[in-house]
């Protein structure tokens, strides 16, 4: 791998950033979370993930956020998802953290529970604040019928997040990011469309945010003060009557006294996949930096530092994000296509990547195909091969579907063995 070049120009993206907890990130560029679905037997990180993260670390980013790690072994976003709970062996996670830090980057583990966003053929549980199924039109049947969580299940979920965070620190990670965006469980609790509870976890925004706040407190209580705690939050859900920018501003204010170091802003869900560029809302600019307009508005009043992710592939756009009051720039797809892009930006401000937009009319299928195309690039990098961003998205989706069938068989066997 090429060594980090000597900067030929100065840029705010190359400046270090000190988090509220006092720890320092080498620069303002972050590899944002992308769901790899590349776990090996036992739902653990393996050689391909180690190689992939070592590549990113050497590519020049200051921070790496992992793809989501599941806190509940019976609730996975996909059958090859990584699980870290009280029973997981720690050594593979130690190797993962070491690989991600090998080039000088800091690494945070994104921790998550999918809630109702569970495929119908997955074993385990499909939980939500309310028994409201994912609605993506004719493809809705692909998703499980969720059940409303009991108070006991909610309390157990708080404990699971805290345990995963505690073990992430033990494994050598520098922080965790609590995933409360993209329509996953904590995002479901925040949205009045999916949370129709009448108890103290539903109704007002204060109640709908209670689970996220309880988890944040529990996580901060079990990790060191210098261990970063971040939250990923939707700037908006892009659904009429859903969680919106005003709600986001209030939640950020609620998080401020709880020891949160940064809030990463994104947007959308499986029902409105704005995070993959498939939203129709004008504010999620069809160009780069999908959520920049909303993020700039939130930055004007935010008591916490913000990070913005979504569609950024050019250095001038990254610099525009920083000039809007955002502290960190997150990139996902761009670093799947060119993991060395941050290093190239040090030499050439015009360097960029090109990824042909997915033009399938059905937004849910377009989003799935786009993510499958990115996963194909991640698998190639994990196998020490060059990316092939020109792959047909439908072909990528077919390939991914076949791989997931094999992974589903393996996951069922593993989960049954755990329960025995």
């Amino acid at each position: 791998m090429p060594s980090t070049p000597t900067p030929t120009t100065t840029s705010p993206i190359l400046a270090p950033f000190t988090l509220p907890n006092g720890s320092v990130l080498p620069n303002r560029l972050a590899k944002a979370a992308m769901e790899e679905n590349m776990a090996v037997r036992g739902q653990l990180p393996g050689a391909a993930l180690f190689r992939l993260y070592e590549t990113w670390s050497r590519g020049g980013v200051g921070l790496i956020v992992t793809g989501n790690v599941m806190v509940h072994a019976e609730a996975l976003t996909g059958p090859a998802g990584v699980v870290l709970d009280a029973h997981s062996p720690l050594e593979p996670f130690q190797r993962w953290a070491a690989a991600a830090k090998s080039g000088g980057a800091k690494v945070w583990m994104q921790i998550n529970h999918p809630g109702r966003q569970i495929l119908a053929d997955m074993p385990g549980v499909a939980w939500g604040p309310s028994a409201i199924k994912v609605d993506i039109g004719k493809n809705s049947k692909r998703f499980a019928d969720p059940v409303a969580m009991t108070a006991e299940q909610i309390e157990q979920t708080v404990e699971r997040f805290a345990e995963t965070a505690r073990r992430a620190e033990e494994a050598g990670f520098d922080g965790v990011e609590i995933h409360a965006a993209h329509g996953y469980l904590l995002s479901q609790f925040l949205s009045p469309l999916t949370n129709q509870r009448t108890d103290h976890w539903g109704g007002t925004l204060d109640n709908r945010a209670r689970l996220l706040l309880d988890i944040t407190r529990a996580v901060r209580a079990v990790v060191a003060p210098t261990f970063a705690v971040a939250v990923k939050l939707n700037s908006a859900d892009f659904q009429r009557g859903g969680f919106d920018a005003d709600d986001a501003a209030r939640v950020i204010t609620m998080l401020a006294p709880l020891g949160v170091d940064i809030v990463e802003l994104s947007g959308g869900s499986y029902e409105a996949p704005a995070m993959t560029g498939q939203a129709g809302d004008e504010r999620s600019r069809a160009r780069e930096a999908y959520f920049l307009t909303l993020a700039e508005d939130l930055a004007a009043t935010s008591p916490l530092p913000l990070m913005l992710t979504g569609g950024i592939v050019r250095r001038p756009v990254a610099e525009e994000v920083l000039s809007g009051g955002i502290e960190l720039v997150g990139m996902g797809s761009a670093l799947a296509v060119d993991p060395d892009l941050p290093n190239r930006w040090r030499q050439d401000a015009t360097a960029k990547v090109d990824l042909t937009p997915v033009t399938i009319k059905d937004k849910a299928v377009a989003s799935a195909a786009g993510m499958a195309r990115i996963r194909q690039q991640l698998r190639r990098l994990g196998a020490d091969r060059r990316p092939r961003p020109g792959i047909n998205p439908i072909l990528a989706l077919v390939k991914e579907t076949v791989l997931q069938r094999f992974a589903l068989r393996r996951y069922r066997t593993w989960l049954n063995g755990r329960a025995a």
Side-chain angles (χ1 to χ4, degrees):
M1 294 290 174
S3 59
T4 303
T6 301
T8 56
T9 58
T10 57
S11 169
I13 62 174
L14 303 177
F17 177 66
T18 303
L19 295 166
N21 69 9
S23 60
V24 179
L25 304 179
N27 61 55
R28 306 298 183 101
L29 295 175
K31 194 290 294 181
M34 290 177 281
E35 186 182 23
E36 303 100 357
N37 250 301
M38 289 169 58
V40 298
R41 191 176 303 278
Q43 308 309 126
L44 298 169
L49 277 176
F50 305 155
R51 192 176 297 114
L52 173 61
Y53 277 73
E54 183 178 3
T55 300
W56 275 326
S57 190
R58 293 179 178 176
V61 291
L63 170 67
I64 294 175
V65 185
T66 71
N68 53 19
V69 172
M70 302 289 103
V71 304
H72 189 179
E74 296 180 64
L76 274 60
T77 54
V82 173
V83 174
L84 177 58
D85 63 11
H87 307 289
S88 303
L90 207 57
E91 191 270 342
F93 293 92
Q94 293 170 331
R95 293 183 61 189
W96 194 14
K101 297 200 286 189
S102 61
K106 300 290 187 180
V107 59
W108 297 350
M109 180 186 290
Q110 186 183 80
I111 56 178
N112 190 20
H113 192 298
R116 68 173 187 156
Q117 287 187 168
I118 295 275
L119 294 176
D121 59 359
M122 289 281 285
V125 301
W127 289 347
S130 305
I132 299 172
K133 185 171 180 172
V134 173
D135 182 4
I136 53 172
K138 63 184 180 182
N139 291 303
S140 301
K141 62 185 179 183
R142 294 177 53 234
F143 288 89
D145 294 315
V147 297
M149 295 175 73
T150 65
E152 182 181 13
Q153 289 165 344
I154 291 173
E155 294 303 325
Q156 289 171 348
T157 299
V158 174
E159 294 169 5
R160 286 190 176 101
F161 271 90
E163 178 65 9
T164 299
R166 186 191 67 79
R167 301 206 75 203
E169 182 177 27
E170 188 179 352
F173 287 81
D174 300 301
V176 291
E177 180 180 68
I178 300 164
H179 201 335
H182 297 173
Y184 294 121
L185 181 65
L186 304 188
S187 179
Q188 291 160 33
F189 268 84
L190 288 170
S191 171
L193 297 179
T194 47
N195 184 349
Q196 297 182 6
R197 300 177 74 98
T198 56
D199 58 13
H200 67 294
W201 286 288
T204 66
L205 181 60
D206 285 350
N207 283 353
R208 287 183 277 121
R210 188 182 304 275
L211 179 55
L212 170 60
L213 301 182
D214 285 351
I215 286 170
T216 303
R217 290 189 193 95
V219 166
R220 180 43 83 193
V222 297
V223 297
T226 54
F227 187 77
V229 176
V231 172
K232 188 165 189 171
L233 188 70
N234 274 357
S235 54
D237 286 349
F238 299 98
Q239 291 179 279
R240 191 181 304 277
F243 186 83
D244 60 22
D246 289 339
D247 293 333
R250 289 179 57 196
V251 171
I252 292 169
T253 300
M254 295 177 196
L255 290 168
L258 304 185
V260 171
D261 291 292
I262 202 156
V263 173
E264 179 186 0
L265 297 174
S266 188
S269 66
Y270 285 10
E271 293 179 334
M275 62 285 194
T276 59
Q278 298 295 329
D281 193 302
E282 183 277 331
R283 295 170 299 172
S284 63
R285 302 176 182 178
R287 60 168 184 81
E288 296 175 55
Y290 304 144
F291 313 110
L292 181 53
T293 302
L294 291 171
E296 287 173 337
D297 291 344
L298 290 168
T301 59
S302 175
L304 290 172
L306 301 179
M307 168 178 161
L308 178 65
T309 297
I312 299 161
V313 300
R314 292 183 299 136
R315 184 173 126 173
V317 176
E319 291 170 341
E320 179 188 357
V321 170
L322 295 182
S323 70
I326 314 300
E327 300 291 356
L328 298 179
V329 177
M331 296 189 295
S333 298
L335 298 182
V337 174
D338 183 359
D340 203 46
L341 184 61
N343 281 342
R344 293 207 294 132
W345 279 355
R346 286 172 163 83
Q347 298 271 5
D348 180 4
T350 66
K352 64 175 183 174
V353 299
D354 292 304
L355 195 61
T356 305
V358 178
T359 56
I360 302 167
K361 289 185 179 180
D362 186 308
K363 288 182 180 180
V365 176
S367 177
M371 289 190 289
R373 181 173 63 177
I374 291 302
R375 282 198 197 111
Q376 288 293 309
Q377 313 315 309
L378 303 183
R379 293 181 193 281
R380 291 182 67 85
L381 290 171
D384 204 21
R385 300 165 68 189
R386 294 181 63 83
R388 286 182 54 203
I391 187 172
N392 183 290
I394 292 297
L395 177 59
L397 184 56
V398 170
K399 286 185 174 181
E400 192 66 23
T401 301
V402 172
L403 288 170
Q404 296 308 306
R405 282 178 186 161
F406 286 107
L408 179 58
R409 243 180 267 149
R410 188 176 64 197
Y411 171 53
R412 283 184 187 278
T413 301
W414 175 78
L415 195 60
N416 289 337
R418 261 200 166 196

